Amino acid sequence: MNTSSDEHALAVDACAARVVDADRVAAVCERMPAAADLADTADVFGLLSDPNRLRLLVALLEGELCVCDLAAVSGLSESAASHALRLLRAHRIVAVRRAGRMAYYRLEDPHVRMLLDLALAHTEHTEILHPERDGGE
């Protein structure tokens, strides 16, 4: 490996100044959430990154559904749907209401609905390139 060309590449990519807009940097740092809050938010996005869990959540946009119905609309077994819903409930994405032996799930709060609505709207209005897909989806 050529060390001088590597050093030159680093110099080209590096900022000439450590901070260009000190006031803006200070304002952003002041508004930056705590590390634990950022980790929790990343966990939420991680939960939404699974297509099966996302399918369950999209189904709940229509309102409360029992595990049986959620399994039917998602194409999951009742066991798999129940497992995914337990995980979502543990992270306060969904809430459960029990009626005898039946468990009915709903989105936890309007923030979850808003997040799903925004993500779906973004997907509908953005052409995302997926070279691994054959264009059939």
Side-chain angles (χ1 to χ4, degrees):
M1 194 183 300
N2 186 344
T3 306
S4 63
S5 65
D6 290 341
E7 290 171 1
H8 176 69
L10 289 174
V12 170
D13 290 342
C15 291
R18 295 308 267 168
V19 174
V20 175
D21 189 339
D23 292 338
R24 182 169 283 174
V25 168
V28 169
C29 286
E30 200 171 296
R31 287 190 317 270
M32 187 65 65
D37 292 338
L38 289 172
D40 290 346
T41 302
D43 285 345
V44 169
F45 281 105
L47 290 167
L48 299 179
S49 70
D50 177 76
N52 289 324
R53 288 190 298 259
L54 190 55
R55 196 173 290 114
L56 291 168
L57 294 171
V58 169
L60 292 173
L61 286 170
E62 298 299 319
E64 186 179 78
L65 289 168
C66 72
V67 174
C68 313
D69 292 342
L70 284 165
V73 299
S74 66
L76 297 172
S77 68
E78 286 183 32
S79 176
S82 186
H83 176 76
L85 290 161
R86 274 193 303 275
L87 182 63
L88 292 167
R89 193 180 84 199
H91 287 85
R92 299 184 330 264
I93 304 296
V94 299
V96 65
R97 174 180 65 84
R98 299 205 183 275
R101 294 181 48 115
M102 299 295 290
Y104 293 88
Y105 285 86
R106 66 185 179 282
L107 298 177
E108 174 70 28
D109 62 38
H111 297 112
V112 175
R113 173 178 291 283
M114 189 183 323
L115 187 57
L116 289 168
D117 286 340
L118 287 171
L120 292 168
H122 173 74
T123 302
E124 291 170 1
H125 294 100
T126 306
E127 183 176 328
I128 300 174
L129 298 177
H130 290 282
E132 71 277 10
R133 294 186 184 163
D134 61 3
E137 291 181 33

